[in-house]
Amino acid sequence: MPNRRTLMLTAVLGLGTLTALLGGPITAANAGGQFGVNTTAKGNQWLNAIARLANERFVVVWESDSGPNRADVYAQLFSSSGARFGVNFPVSAGRGKQTVPAVAALTDGSFVVVWVSDTQNPNGTVYGQLFAANGTYLGRPFRIGDPSSAQATPQVSALSDGGFVVVWASSPDGSSDSSYDIVGRRFSVDGTGVGHQFRANKDRAGAQMRPSVAGRADGGFTVVWDSAEDDGSGGTDYFIRGQSFAADGSRSGVGLIVKRGVSELKRPRIATLVGGGFVVTWEAANRRLTPVSNVYAQRYSEADTQVGGLIRVHQSSRSEVNPAVGGLANGGFVVAWSNDSFANILVQRYAGDGALVGNAVRVNEKTDAIRDWAGIAPSGDGGFAVSWDGQDGSALGVFGRTFKQ
């Protein structure tokens, strides 16, 4: 049933104008065709990430085990409609394994890719590389993390001052077997470090893993992550936690408990909303239907207070995992996830007030193999692009599809 805000806007503006403002349901009619991202069919191409650039092109990055190191990072640029621009190009050129990339578009039109390299530490060190909008290298790769600690799962977001912030999971003693903190550092647009490395989590008990970060309009940023902690009686409490930071890198507020549960909560993702505030999505184990998982979302104001109730993204008895989220130009947001034992990638659009817009739609055109690890890149006109990993012959490949408003 339409909410009161939607009914009032319909009466004042008319249905056609309202649909143009809020964005209509996702349908095959406003989607382009599925396309392949990687041009090599040798080995696995997977663990992709995607970002929309200032010129409305978008870039996809991924890990490839067909390169000279058996684990290298590659990238591909595309036009706004999904047409290939140039060719696949290597992001990481160093020795050793280069894995789990992430990417962010910067305000000056350039973009930055981050990844984990085992060149200096066999347990992983985070590195970065800047690129111009046309894919030209800007400088050389630069080290982000301290090589004395083991590092994993980096994420990156642009900041409103033109720079960017990188966050990752870090083991203080350098061992991949110990507990992890969520740490990060800010950088200027040329890759120069700003301030010192910071720790996002206050409580160091338990395992803090899988961070996500989003820049805010005020120049600050918010970090979210999942945490597994001892409940004091031999069991485990699971959390999705968060912490906001001001533009100068100082903590803002006391921190967030997005969700707490006795079943596993993991893989949070965060996106800034155009109208202010942000939205967090995550994967939660379903205690009644173990090992089934479901995807949830929660909106927040700019003051870090919850807005509206908890959103269950899709009502299904089948497992739903690995969510991604993007804030749309019209103030709403869109969530993507892997559904039905990794058989499909689904997307669901929401209005700015959290109301459903249409039904969930399958992104992948083929349904005969594995589909996982979705990414979302919103466009300036209210549409978005989706990338994902999928079966490509006997190995995995990266695919994409664009959607108009």
Side-chain angles (χ1 to χ4, degrees):
M1 178 179 293
N3 59 35
R4 184 179 180 186
R5 174 175 175 267
T6 301
L7 290 172
M8 292 176 64
L9 285 170
T10 303
V12 173
L13 300 173
L15 182 59
T17 303
L18 176 65
T19 300
L21 288 175
L22 297 184
I26 305 168
T27 67
N30 60 11
Q34 176 178 312
F35 54 86
V37 173
N38 55 285
T39 52
T40 178
K42 180 183 178 182
N44 289 311
Q45 321 295 319
W46 56 352
L47 301 178
N48 78 88
I50 186 172
R52 181 77 64 166
L53 305 182
N55 59 11
E56 285 301 308
R57 290 176 182 160
F58 59 91
V59 60
V60 182
V61 298
W62 68 95
E63 179 184 328
S64 170
D65 67 11
S66 64
N69 298 312
R70 301 299 295 171
D72 293 278
V73 176
Y74 286 83
Q76 175 65 57
L77 291 165
F78 291 89
S79 72
S80 59
S81 63
R84 190 181 302 276
F85 179 82
V87 298
N88 292 179
F89 57 93
V91 171
S92 56
R95 298 177 180 177
K97 293 182 178 180
Q98 324 292 323
T99 60
V100 290
V103 60
L106 305 183
T107 57
D108 69 347
S110 63
F111 62 95
V112 59
V113 183
V114 298
W115 68 92
V116 173
S117 170
D118 71 356
T119 302
Q120 288 189 289
N121 182 340
N123 292 318
T125 302
V126 178
Y127 278 79
Q129 174 68 57
L130 289 161
F131 293 89
N134 63 0
T136 302
Y137 296 87
L138 297 176
R140 296 177 58 82
F142 54 96
R143 194 182 71 216
I144 292 173
D146 182 346
S148 65
S149 65
Q151 295 156 38
T153 60
Q155 293 290 309
V156 59
S157 176
L159 298 176
S160 62
D161 66 359
F164 56 95
V165 59
V166 185
V167 296
W168 63 93
S170 177
S171 169
D173 66 5
S175 168
S176 59
D177 297 325
S178 65
S179 295
Y180 280 74
D181 291 323
I182 302 303
V183 300
R185 195 176 185 193
R186 294 175 299 137
F187 292 84
S188 65
V189 67
D190 65 358
T192 302
V194 177
H196 298 289
Q197 183 173 296
F198 61 86
R199 177 164 50 88
N201 55 295
K202 293 181 179 178
D203 189 348
R204 306 190 76 172
Q208 325 290 326
M209 291 295 291
R210 290 175 284 257
S212 182
V213 61
R216 301 165 66 119
D218 63 3
F221 54 94
T222 300
V223 186
V224 294
W225 66 93
D226 62 59
S227 176
E229 304 170 21
D230 190 333
D231 67 359
S233 61
T236 303
D237 277 341
Y238 296 94
F239 294 86
I240 302 297
R241 293 188 177 274
Q243 177 66 57
S244 290
F245 293 84
D248 64 1
S250 62
R251 288 180 181 271
S252 176
V254 298
L256 305 171
I257 297 179
V258 179
K259 186 64 177 176
R260 177 180 182 178
V262 295
S263 295
E264 191 172 16
L265 308 171
K266 57 186 178 181
R267 297 187 178 91
R269 287 292 181 263
I270 184 172
T272 304
L273 299 177
V274 170
F278 55 93
V279 60
V280 182
T281 62
W282 66 92
E283 172 189 332
N286 189 319
R287 296 182 66 192
R288 298 178 182 178
L289 297 171
T290 303
V292 170
S293 294
N294 300 120
V295 172
Y296 292 85
Q298 177 66 58
R299 295 179 299 129
Y300 281 84
S301 71
E302 291 178 302
D304 289 359
T305 57
Q306 289 187 352
V307 177
L310 181 68
I311 299 170
R312 181 171 172 179
V313 172
H314 191 234
Q315 299 290 334
S316 172
S317 61
R318 299 179 183 275
S319 198
E320 300 164 327
V321 298
N322 293 337
V325 63
L328 298 175
N330 55 29
F333 59 97
V334 60
V335 182
W337 67 96
S338 180
N339 175 261
D340 194 10
S341 300
F342 307 107
N344 296 298
I345 300 297
L346 301 184
V347 288
Q348 174 66 63
R349 191 194 295 266
Y350 290 85
D353 61 2
L356 280 170
V357 179
N359 298 316
V361 170
R362 190 183 75 225
V363 177
N364 50 289
E365 293 180 329
K366 297 181 179 181
T367 59
D368 57 349
I370 295 172
R371 306 284 182 264
D372 195 16
W373 210 261
I376 295 175
S379 59
D381 62 2
F384 56 93
V386 180
S387 60
W388 70 93
D389 299 348
Q391 199 75 28
D392 188 10
S394 61
L396 292 174
V398 180
F399 298 88
R401 197 175 186 187
T402 60
F403 292 82
K404 299 178 181 179
Q405 177 172 302

